[in-house]
Amino acid sequence: MSTPLSDEEIDRLARKRANAKLGWYMHFAIYVVVNLFIFAMSQHAFGHRPWSVYPLLGWGLGLVLHGLSVFVLGSGSSLRERLEEREREALRRRQ
């Protein structure tokens, strides 16, 4: 099992995780605003051409990967903790 964290370590990890999540929420908000603008521009300024889907998809992939790194693979996530514990146990068995 892992050693218990001190209050300072808990505060540092909580701050780091909250900042990472806030960063993703800001990324998402900017993504929505900019892509709404791009969509509106493509519909009205350039003759109804659906080119706006390309930045939407490309940036959307980046947003999904950012979300995975924050919510699934970020420090303190349950998946990461389980994988780290599994690796610790495997290393202990080899010794």
Side-chain angles (χ1 to χ4, degrees):
M1 294 289 171
S2 61
T3 59
L5 298 174
S6 69
D7 287 341
E8 293 84 23
E9 291 171 322
I10 290 172
D11 287 343
R12 183 186 55 77
L13 182 58
R15 197 172 311 110
K16 182 178 178 180
R17 291 174 68 183
N19 285 336
K21 289 177 182 179
L22 182 60
W24 187 86
Y25 294 134
M26 290 297 295
H27 186 180
F28 178 75
I30 292 168
Y31 169 81
V32 169
V33 169
V34 170
N35 279 290
L36 283 173
F37 175 74
I38 290 172
F39 179 75
M41 195 170 66
S42 74
Q43 294 298 308
H44 299 291
F46 297 107
H48 300 291
R49 295 185 184 196
W51 61 268
S52 63
V53 74
Y54 299 112
L56 180 85
L57 293 174
W59 192 354
L61 176 62
L63 185 64
V64 167
L65 294 174
H66 184 187
L68 286 173
S69 73
V70 169
F71 295 104
V72 177
L73 301 174
S75 64
S77 74
S78 61
L79 175 61
R80 177 178 288 240
E81 289 172 354
R82 287 193 311 261
L83 290 173
E84 287 176 359
E85 186 60 33
R86 188 178 298 161
E87 289 301 318
R88 277 189 210 96
E89 292 300 320
L91 291 169
R92 287 182 187 129
R93 283 192 298 267
R94 288 184 195 153
Q95 289 183 348

